[in-house]
Amino acid sequence: MRLTLHSDYALRTLMYAALNPDRLVTITEIAERYGISRNHLMRVVQGLAGHGFLDTVRGKGGGMRLLRPASTIVIGDVVRQMEPDLAVAECFGSSNACRLTPDCVLRGALGEAMEGFLAALDRYTLADLVVPADRLRARLGLEPLQG
């Protein structure tokens, strides 16, 4: 299983917001800190806001922050919402034309693998991903949190 860039950027955006709980963060600063496309990140942020992960504030001095505590954001939920298609093979999609599907053991094995993948992600929250915060902040060129 490989996540799309959309999901990768979504997770990194949420981590950045979690590492900056005391202020609004901007798309431009996130794109610069990670060295990623600002345009792509704008679509990611729209999706995160639409799915209830981020609160966005428009206008001068605007930005975004987590809509709820990092400890309540389950990583498996983020991936389920942000991945456009979790079908790991044709037989999981709506346009399945594989002749083997009715009797195929591979489909069951792949389904089990996908369930295991998501179950593993369900054991982690966003708060789990941002430890150790000071070291992660330093890697992003951010000052240590005060307090």
CSV table of all heavy atoms in Angstrom, one decimal, residues 86-124:
chain,number,residue,atom,x,y,z
A,86,LEU,N,-9.1,3.5,-1.8
A,86,LEU,CA,-8.3,2.5,-1.0
A,86,LEU,C,-8.3,1.1,-1.7
A,86,LEU,O,-7.9,0.2,-1.0
A,86,LEU,CB,-8.8,2.5,0.4
A,86,LEU,CG,-8.4,3.7,1.3
A,86,LEU,CD1,-9.1,3.6,2.6
A,86,LEU,CD2,-6.9,3.7,1.5
A,87,ALA,N,-8.8,1.0,-2.9
A,87,ALA,CA,-8.9,-0.2,-3.6
A,87,ALA,C,-7.4,-0.6,-4.0
A,87,ALA,O,-6.8,0.1,-4.8
A,87,ALA,CB,-9.8,-0.2,-4.8
A,88,VAL,N,-6.9,-1.7,-3.4
A,88,VAL,CA,-5.6,-2.1,-3.7
A,88,VAL,C,-5.4,-2.9,-5.0
A,88,VAL,O,-4.3,-3.1,-5.4
A,88,VAL,CB,-5.0,-2.9,-2.5
A,88,VAL,CG1,-4.8,-2.0,-1.3
A,88,VAL,CG2,-5.8,-4.1,-2.2
A,89,ALA,N,-6.5,-3.3,-5.5
A,89,ALA,CA,-6.5,-4.1,-6.8
A,89,ALA,C,-7.8,-3.8,-7.5
A,89,ALA,O,-8.8,-3.4,-6.9
A,89,ALA,CB,-6.3,-5.6,-6.5
A,90,GLU,N,-7.9,-4.2,-8.7
A,90,GLU,CA,-9.1,-4.0,-9.5
A,90,GLU,C,-10.3,-4.6,-8.9
A,90,GLU,O,-11.4,-4.0,-8.9
A,90,GLU,CB,-8.9,-4.6,-10.9
A,90,GLU,CG,-10.1,-4.4,-11.8
A,90,GLU,CD,-9.9,-5.2,-13.1
A,90,GLU,OE1,-8.8,-5.6,-13.5
A,90,GLU,OE2,-10.9,-5.3,-13.8
A,91,CYS,N,-10.2,-5.7,-8.3
A,91,CYS,CA,-11.3,-6.5,-7.8
A,91,CYS,C,-12.0,-5.7,-6.6
A,91,CYS,O,-13.1,-6.1,-6.2
A,91,CYS,CB,-10.9,-7.9,-7.4
A,91,CYS,SG,-9.6,-8.0,-6.2
A,92,PHE,N,-11.4,-4.7,-6.1
A,92,PHE,CA,-12.0,-3.9,-5.0
A,92,PHE,C,-12.8,-2.7,-5.5
A,92,PHE,O,-13.5,-2.1,-4.8
A,92,PHE,CB,-11.0,-3.5,-4.0
A,92,PHE,CG,-10.4,-4.6,-3.2
A,92,PHE,CD1,-9.3,-5.3,-3.6
A,92,PHE,CD2,-11.0,-5.0,-2.0
A,92,PHE,CE1,-8.7,-6.3,-2.9
A,92,PHE,CE2,-10.5,-6.1,-1.3
A,92,PHE,CZ,-9.4,-6.7,-1.7
A,93,GLY,N,-12.6,-2.4,-6.8
A,93,GLY,CA,-13.2,-1.2,-7.4
A,93,GLY,C,-14.6,-1.5,-8.0
A,93,GLY,O,-15.0,-2.7,-8.2
A,94,SER,N,-15.3,-0.5,-8.3
A,94,SER,CA,-16.7,-0.6,-8.9
A,94,SER,C,-16.6,-1.1,-10.3
A,94,SER,O,-17.6,-1.6,-10.8
A,94,SER,CB,-17.4,0.7,-8.8
A,94,SER,OG,-16.7,1.7,-9.5
A,95,SER,N,-15.5,-0.9,-11.0
A,95,SER,CA,-15.4,-1.4,-12.4
A,95,SER,C,-14.6,-2.7,-12.5
A,95,SER,O,-13.9,-2.9,-13.5
A,95,SER,CB,-14.8,-0.3,-13.3
A,95,SER,OG,-13.5,0.0,-12.8
A,96,ASN,N,-14.8,-3.6,-11.6
A,96,ASN,CA,-14.1,-4.8,-11.6
A,96,ASN,C,-14.5,-5.7,-12.8
A,96,ASN,O,-15.7,-6.0,-13.0
A,96,ASN,CB,-14.3,-5.6,-10.3
A,96,ASN,CG,-13.7,-6.9,-10.2
A,96,ASN,OD1,-12.7,-7.2,-11.0
A,96,ASN,ND2,-14.2,-7.8,-9.4
A,97,ALA,N,-13.5,-6.1,-13.6
A,97,ALA,CA,-13.8,-6.9,-14.7
A,97,ALA,C,-13.0,-8.2,-14.7
A,97,ALA,O,-12.9,-9.0,-15.6
A,97,ALA,CB,-13.4,-6.2,-16.0
A,98,CYS,N,-12.3,-8.5,-13.5
A,98,CYS,CA,-11.5,-9.7,-13.4
A,98,CYS,C,-12.4,-10.9,-13.3
A,98,CYS,O,-13.3,-11.0,-12.5
A,98,CYS,CB,-10.6,-9.6,-12.1
A,98,CYS,SG,-9.6,-11.1,-11.9
A,99,ARG,N,-12.1,-11.9,-14.1
A,99,ARG,CA,-12.9,-13.1,-14.2
A,99,ARG,C,-12.7,-14.0,-13.0
A,99,ARG,O,-13.5,-14.9,-12.7
A,99,ARG,CB,-12.6,-13.9,-15.5
A,99,ARG,CG,-13.0,-13.2,-16.7
A,99,ARG,CD,-12.6,-13.9,-17.9
A,99,ARG,NE,-13.0,-13.2,-19.1
A,99,ARG,CZ,-12.7,-13.6,-20.3
A,99,ARG,NH1,-12.1,-14.7,-20.5
A,99,ARG,NH2,-13.1,-12.9,-21.3
A,100,LEU,N,-11.6,-13.8,-12.3
A,100,LEU,CA,-11.3,-14.7,-11.1
A,100,LEU,C,-12.1,-14.3,-9.8
A,100,LEU,O,-12.1,-15.1,-8.9
A,100,LEU,CB,-9.8,-14.7,-10.9
A,100,LEU,CG,-8.9,-15.2,-12.0
A,100,LEU,CD1,-7.5,-15.1,-11.6
A,100,LEU,CD2,-9.3,-16.6,-12.3
A,101,THR,N,-12.6,-13.1,-9.8
A,101,THR,CA,-13.1,-12.5,-8.5
A,101,THR,C,-14.0,-13.5,-7.7
A,101,THR,O,-13.8,-13.6,-6.5
A,101,THR,CB,-13.8,-11.2,-8.8
A,101,THR,OG1,-12.8,-10.3,-9.3
A,101,THR,CG2,-14.4,-10.6,-7.5
A,102,PRO,N,-15.0,-14.1,-8.3
A,102,PRO,CA,-15.9,-15.0,-7.5
A,102,PRO,C,-15.1,-16.1,-6.7
A,102,PRO,O,-15.6,-16.5,-5.7
A,102,PRO,CB,-16.8,-15.6,-8.5
A,102,PRO,CG,-16.8,-14.6,-9.7
A,102,PRO,CD,-15.4,-14.1,-9.7
A,103,ASP,N,-14.0,-16.6,-7.2
A,103,ASP,CA,-13.3,-17.7,-6.6
A,103,ASP,C,-11.9,-17.3,-6.2
A,103,ASP,O,-11.1,-18.2,-5.8
A,103,ASP,CB,-13.3,-18.9,-7.6
A,103,ASP,CG,-14.7,-19.3,-8.0
A,103,ASP,OD1,-15.5,-19.6,-7.1
A,103,ASP,OD2,-14.9,-19.4,-9.2
A,104,CYS,N,-11.6,-16.1,-6.1
A,104,CYS,CA,-10.2,-15.7,-5.9
A,104,CYS,C,-9.8,-15.5,-4.5
A,104,CYS,O,-10.4,-14.8,-3.7
A,104,CYS,CB,-9.9,-14.4,-6.6
A,104,CYS,SG,-8.2,-13.9,-6.6
A,105,VAL,N,-8.8,-16.2,-4.0
A,105,VAL,CA,-8.2,-16.2,-2.7
A,105,VAL,C,-7.4,-14.9,-2.5
A,105,VAL,O,-7.3,-14.3,-1.4
A,105,VAL,CB,-7.4,-17.4,-2.3
A,105,VAL,CG1,-6.8,-17.3,-1.0
A,105,VAL,CG2,-8.3,-18.7,-2.4
A,106,LEU,N,-6.8,-14.4,-3.6
A,106,LEU,CA,-5.9,-13.2,-3.6
A,106,LEU,C,-6.8,-12.0,-3.1
A,106,LEU,O,-6.3,-11.3,-2.3
A,106,LEU,CB,-5.3,-12.9,-4.9
A,106,LEU,CG,-4.5,-11.6,-5.0
A,106,LEU,CD1,-3.3,-11.7,-4.0
A,106,LEU,CD2,-4.1,-11.4,-6.4
A,107,ARG,N,-8.0,-11.9,-3.5
A,107,ARG,CA,-8.8,-10.8,-3.1
A,107,ARG,C,-9.0,-10.8,-1.6
A,107,ARG,O,-8.9,-9.8,-0.9
A,107,ARG,CB,-10.2,-10.9,-3.8
A,107,ARG,CG,-11.1,-9.7,-3.3
A,107,ARG,CD,-12.3,-9.6,-4.2
A,107,ARG,NE,-12.9,-8.3,-3.9
A,107,ARG,CZ,-14.2,-8.2,-3.7
A,107,ARG,NH1,-15.0,-9.2,-3.8
A,107,ARG,NH2,-14.7,-7.0,-3.5
A,108,GLY,N,-9.2,-12.0,-1.0
A,108,GLY,CA,-9.3,-12.1,0.5
A,108,GLY,C,-8.0,-11.7,1.2
A,108,GLY,O,-8.1,-11.0,2.2
A,109,ALA,N,-6.9,-12.2,0.6
A,109,ALA,CA,-5.6,-11.9,1.2
A,109,ALA,C,-5.3,-10.4,1.2
A,109,ALA,O,-4.9,-9.8,2.1
A,109,ALA,CB,-4.5,-12.6,0.5
A,110,LEU,N,-5.6,-9.7,0.0
A,110,LEU,CA,-5.4,-8.3,-0.1
A,110,LEU,C,-6.3,-7.5,0.8
A,110,LEU,O,-6.0,-6.5,1.4
A,110,LEU,CB,-5.6,-7.9,-1.6
A,110,LEU,CG,-4.5,-8.4,-2.5
A,110,LEU,CD1,-4.9,-8.0,-4.0
A,110,LEU,CD2,-3.1,-7.8,-2.2
A,111,GLY,N,-7.6,-8.0,0.9
A,111,GLY,CA,-8.5,-7.3,1.8
A,111,GLY,C,-8.1,-7.4,3.2
A,111,GLY,O,-8.2,-6.4,4.0
A,112,GLU,N,-7.6,-8.5,3.6
A,112,GLU,CA,-7.1,-8.7,5.0
A,112,GLU,C,-5.9,-7.8,5.2
A,112,GLU,O,-5.7,-7.2,6.3
A,112,GLU,CB,-6.7,-10.2,5.2
A,112,GLU,CG,-6.3,-10.5,6.6
A,112,GLU,CD,-5.9,-12.0,6.8
A,112,GLU,OE1,-6.5,-12.8,6.0
A,112,GLU,OE2,-5.1,-12.3,7.6
A,113,ALA,N,-5.0,-7.7,4.2
A,113,ALA,CA,-3.8,-6.8,4.4
A,113,ALA,C,-4.2,-5.4,4.5
A,113,ALA,O,-3.7,-4.6,5.3
A,113,ALA,CB,-2.9,-7.0,3.2
A,114,MET,N,-5.2,-4.9,3.7
A,114,MET,CA,-5.7,-3.5,3.8
A,114,MET,C,-6.3,-3.3,5.2
A,114,MET,O,-6.1,-2.2,5.8
A,114,MET,CB,-6.7,-3.2,2.7
A,114,MET,CG,-7.3,-1.9,2.8
A,114,MET,SD,-6.1,-0.5,2.8
A,114,MET,CE,-5.5,-0.6,1.2
A,115,GLU,N,-7.1,-4.2,5.7
A,115,GLU,CA,-7.7,-4.1,7.0
A,115,GLU,C,-6.6,-4.0,8.1
A,115,GLU,O,-6.7,-3.2,9.0
A,115,GLU,CB,-8.6,-5.3,7.3
A,115,GLU,CG,-9.9,-5.2,6.6
A,115,GLU,CD,-10.7,-6.5,6.8
A,115,GLU,OE1,-10.5,-7.2,7.8
A,115,GLU,OE2,-11.6,-6.8,5.9
A,116,GLY,N,-5.5,-4.8,7.9
A,116,GLY,CA,-4.4,-4.7,8.9
A,116,GLY,C,-3.7,-3.4,8.8
A,116,GLY,O,-3.3,-2.8,9.9
A,117,PHE,N,-3.5,-2.9,7.6
A,117,PHE,CA,-2.9,-1.6,7.4
A,117,PHE,C,-3.6,-0.5,8.1
A,117,PHE,O,-3.1,0.3,8.9
A,117,PHE,CB,-2.8,-1.3,5.9
A,117,PHE,CG,-2.2,0.0,5.5
A,117,PHE,CD1,-0.9,0.3,5.6
A,117,PHE,CD2,-3.1,1.1,5.1
A,117,PHE,CE1,-0.4,1.6,5.3
A,117,PHE,CE2,-2.6,2.3,4.7
A,117,PHE,CZ,-1.2,2.6,4.8
A,118,LEU,N,-4.9,-0.4,7.9
A,118,LEU,CA,-5.8,0.6,8.5
A,118,LEU,C,-5.9,0.4,10.0
A,118,LEU,O,-5.9,1.4,10.8
A,118,LEU,CB,-7.1,0.7,7.8
A,118,LEU,CG,-7.1,1.2,6.4
A,118,LEU,CD1,-8.5,1.0,5.7
A,118,LEU,CD2,-6.7,2.6,6.3
A,119,ALA,N,-6.0,-0.8,10.5
A,119,ALA,CA,-6.0,-1.1,11.9
A,119,ALA,C,-4.8,-0.6,12.6
A,119,ALA,O,-4.8,-0.1,13.7
A,119,ALA,CB,-6.2,-2.6,12.1
A,120,ALA,N,-3.6,-0.8,12.0
A,120,ALA,CA,-2.4,-0.3,12.5
A,120,ALA,C,-2.4,1.2,12.7
A,120,ALA,O,-2.0,1.8,13.7
A,120,ALA,CB,-1.2,-0.7,11.7
A,121,LEU,N,-2.9,1.9,11.6
A,121,LEU,CA,-3.0,3.4,11.7
A,121,LEU,C,-4.0,3.8,12.7
A,121,LEU,O,-3.9,4.9,13.3
A,121,LEU,CB,-3.3,3.9,10.3
A,121,LEU,CG,-2.3,3.7,9.2
A,121,LEU,CD1,-2.8,4.3,7.9
A,121,LEU,CD2,-1.0,4.4,9.6
A,122,ASP,N,-5.0,3.0,12.9
A,122,ASP,CA,-6.1,3.4,13.9
A,122,ASP,C,-5.5,3.4,15.4
A,122,ASP,O,-6.1,3.9,16.3
A,122,ASP,CB,-7.2,2.4,13.8
A,122,ASP,CG,-8.1,2.7,12.6
A,122,ASP,OD1,-8.1,3.8,12.1
A,122,ASP,OD2,-8.8,1.7,12.3
A,123,ARG,N,-4.4,2.8,15.6
A,123,ARG,CA,-3.8,2.8,16.9
A,123,ARG,C,-3.0,4.0,17.2
A,123,ARG,O,-2.5,4.2,18.3
A,123,ARG,CB,-2.8,1.5,17.0
A,123,ARG,CG,-3.6,0.2,17.1
A,123,ARG,CD,-2.8,-1.0,17.5
A,123,ARG,NE,-1.6,-1.2,16.6
A,123,ARG,CZ,-1.5,-2.0,15.6
A,123,ARG,NH1,-2.6,-2.7,15.3
A,123,ARG,NH2,-0.4,-2.2,14.9
A,124,TYR,N,-2.9,4.9,16.3
A,124,TYR,CA,-2.1,6.2,16.5
A,124,TYR,C,-3.0,7.4,16.3
A,124,TYR,O,-3.9,7.4,15.4
A,124,TYR,CB,-1.0,6.3,15.4
A,124,TYR,CG,0.1,5.2,15.6
A,124,TYR,CD1,0.0,4.0,15.0
A,124,TYR,CD2,1.2,5.4,16.5
A,124,TYR,CE1,0.9,3.0,15.2
A,124,TYR,CE2,2.1,4.4,16.7
A,124,TYR,CZ,2.0,3.2,16.0
A,124,TYR,OH,2.9,2.3,16.2
